[in-house]
Amino acid sequence: MTTLEGSPAVRRLTAWEPTRLESLAGEYGTPLYVLDLDRVRENARRLESAFPDAEILYAVKANALKDVLETLHGEGVGLECASAGELTRALAVTDSGAEVHYTAVNPPARDLDIAVEAWEAHPELTITAGAEDTIDRLEERGYDGRLCLRVNPGIGAGHHEKVQTGANAKFGVPAERAVDVLADAADRGFDVVGIHAHVGSGVSSDQLDAHREFVSRMGELARSVTAAVGDLEFLDIGGGFGVPYREDEQPLDLEAVADATREAVGEVDVQLTIEPGRYFVADAGVLLTTVNTVKDARETTLVGVDAGMTTLLRPAMYDAYHPIRNLTADSSDTERSREETAQTIAGPICESGDVFCTDRKLPESERGDLLAIGNAGAYGYEMANQYNSRPRPASVVIDDGVARLARRRETIDDVTSVERER
Ligand code: LLP
């Protein structure tokens, strides 16, 4: 068993070394994503230790950086992909379809073409369909490979209604139809290997009851499918393991989740598969940003920074809380100690929703200060975009303690060069 010594259940923003981050910001500029691959490995090992018998896949959508995929592949973790782009990235890293799943959600035709082509080169690839139409469309393309069915279990959970999938009509075939759909697929020559569901993202300890109910329904379904259609290879219960974003929030008790999962699945002769994304990478990443404007607004101090909702969308999209730290105030011991004031930290995008926090107590900010936004490793860069023609930031990784540039900063030319030249 892997040793977990020195691997806390959560890495808080306060645990990052300010001078190290300052020097990275100095070298690569801001806004800058920094991702510690050593912490990604620790997170993988904690998951492996809690779920020793499960197959563990990484939901690539949380952070698709090649360095992350290589790191997790190196840890023996498989890759779950949500699009042809993620699938292409995953196969470039693993060079085998055996540990790769493609979960097709209303897949565009081009995605299915690419997935079937990938299967021809890597016949051990697993494709998970969430609609009967998807199965028909795979058949039309000549696919008769490994097929998993995503079901809709009718139970959702997660940190925000926009990420609760388990009862949302968009995802999966209603669980009560699964036996018929799989029996039909088996008759048509597909290699039926598994069933899948994902209840939602950011499931916390206080939602353990929903998790239990969800997993027990999936165990029940696995038994029905096995009896009616034949043996299944795996039961994939998705991802969703929450991480603490607030400073006083307790980490998920992974062992308790694993115990509850085993108990709720009950007796069933299939491999349990889990596919978390956030848990691997969230606390391994920070976003560095520089203060460019400080002004007294009517009721608050408005602090303008060079990252915005185009860099980290989660606060604007889900009202998500991210811890924020003023690294300059923390690291300069010669300076007077700074008073804490209520600050609203906002980005450079022309939208009033472009704020990271409102009236949060932080040491007084000054122009030029470097701030760190914590827990930015999951769904940070992945959801970044070029709104307002703003180039996406650079990403640096720390690997075995050594930092290197993993992805360069985009330029305005990168943003405009795909347009037709006149
Ligand atoms: N498997 C499937 C089929 C999924 O749809 C997802 C996430 C996962 C696994 C991984 O879930 P995780 O372990 O990362 O919670 N952008 C949102 C999260 C959206 C998650 C979508 N699906 C956020 O920033 O909170």
Side-chain angles (χ1 to χ4, degrees):
M1 200 167 101
T2 338
T3 166
L4 296 173
E5 223 170 285
S7 164
V10 57
R11 179 194 273 183
R12 305 275 182 193
L13 183 54
T14 45
W16 292 76
E17 181 53 56
T19 49
R20 178 94 200 261
L21 294 175
E22 282 180 318
S23 93
L24 290 175
E27 189 169 351
Y28 300 104
T30 59
L32 180 71
Y33 274 103
V34 178
L35 193 82
D36 186 347
L37 298 175
D38 301 324
R39 178 65 186 165
V40 174
R41 288 187 190 97
E42 286 180 15
N43 289 338
R45 289 171 195 176
R46 269 201 324 286
L47 277 166
E48 281 157 12
S49 153
F51 290 91
D53 305 323
E55 181 191 19
I56 304 182
L57 308 177
Y58 166 60
V60 171
K61 61 175 79 64
N63 190 327
L65 190 68
K66 189 174 179 189
D67 277 287
V68 173
L69 305 191
E70 280 176 353
T71 299
L72 288 173
H73 179 55
E75 291 294 310
V77 173
L79 301 173
E80 185 265 335
C81 309
S83 69
E86 289 183 6
L87 182 59
T88 304
R89 283 178 182 272
L91 290 170
V93 165
T94 61
D95 201 33
S96 140
E99 325 92 83
V100 179
H101 289 208
Y102 164 49
T103 315
V105 178
N106 298 340
R110 198 174 295 119
D111 280 43
L112 285 185
D113 292 343
I114 292 172
V116 170
E117 216 174 276
W119 161 70
E120 281 158 0
H122 305 280
E124 287 172 285
L125 176 72
T126 300
I127 299 188
T128 299
E132 287 156 273
D133 266 354
T134 305
I135 300 177
D136 295 343
R137 293 164 72 207
L138 285 167
E139 189 177 44
E140 284 161 18
R141 287 167 171 78
Y143 183 84
D144 62 359
R146 294 166 58 79
L147 182 74
C148 170
L149 185 69
R150 179 172 187 167
V151 303
N152 184 307
I155 299 175
H159 72 82
H160 189 276
E161 72 177 277
K162 288 195 176 123
V163 299
Q164 302 189 354
T165 44
N168 183 319
K170 178 171 169 181
F171 302 99
V173 171
E176 55 279 16
R177 292 227 311 276
V179 168
D180 290 346
V181 172
L182 285 172
D184 179 54
D187 282 347
R188 283 152 69 183
F190 288 95
D191 181 11
V192 172
V193 289
I195 53 172
H196 168 287
H198 172 73
V199 77
S201 189
V203 179
S204 55
S205 296
D206 56 13
Q207 294 174 320
L208 208 54
D209 281 348
H211 174 80
R212 229 182 246 112
E213 175 61 24
F214 156 63
V215 177
S216 100
R217 287 190 195 181
M218 292 304 289
E220 187 61 42
L221 181 62
R223 284 185 286 278
S224 311
V225 173
T226 307
V229 186
D231 283 349
L232 287 176
E233 215 175 88
F234 65 85
L235 161 60
D236 185 337
I237 59 163
F241 302 97
V243 300
Y245 282 81
R246 289 181 186 271
E247 289 84 348
D248 58 356
E249 216 178 314
Q250 288 312 300
L252 197 63
D253 182 347
L254 214 50
E255 308 289 338
V257 177
D259 286 347
T261 304
R262 272 186 288 269
E263 203 179 293
V265 173
E267 281 300 304
V268 53
D269 192 19
V270 294
Q271 160 90 61
L272 181 72
T273 299
I274 57 170
E275 50 182 42
R278 186 188 313 270
Y279 194 89
F280 284 102
V281 285
D283 70 358
V286 294
L287 171 62
L288 302 181
T289 183
T290 304
V291 173
N292 54 45
T293 306
V294 179
K295 66 175 176 184
D296 283 332
R298 274 187 206 96
E299 285 114 20
T300 188
T301 300
L302 195 291
V303 176
V305 294
D306 61 5
M309 62 189 283
T310 51
T311 333
L312 176 68
L313 182 61
R314 302 190 72 255
M317 182 147 172
Y318 313 114
D319 280 328
Y321 181 97
H322 282 260
I324 299 178
R325 182 173 169 198
N326 187 320
L327 298 171
T328 310
D330 279 3
S331 71
S332 42
D333 44 23
T334 52
E335 256 184 282
R336 65 192 158 75
S337 72
R338 300 200 197 176
E339 233 178 272
E340 295 226 323
T341 59
Q343 298 173 37
T344 295
I345 300 187
I349 308 301
C350 273
E351 295 246 359
S352 43
D354 181 30
V355 289
F356 290 119
C357 66
T358 306
D359 285 336
R360 191 172 309 173
K361 283 264 173 137
L362 288 166
E364 245 177 341
S365 297
E366 292 175 10
R367 186 157 20 116
D369 281 354
L370 181 67
L371 307 188
I373 303 182
N375 272 8
Y379 305 106
Y381 190 93
E382 286 313 308
M383 296 173 83
N385 59 77
Q386 297 173 330
Y387 180 39
N388 278 191
S389 291
R390 211 156 266 291
R392 285 177 296 184
S395 302
V396 162
V397 292
I398 299 172
D399 191 1
D400 213 3
V402 180
R404 63 165 185 269
L405 185 67
R407 178 165 42 203
R408 71 164 170 83
R409 182 177 306 287
E410 286 179 349
T411 61
I412 291 177
D413 222 30
D414 288 322
V415 178
T416 58
S417 61
V418 289
E419 279 176 39
R420 179 168 67 89
E421 280 185 34
R422 286 169 203 277

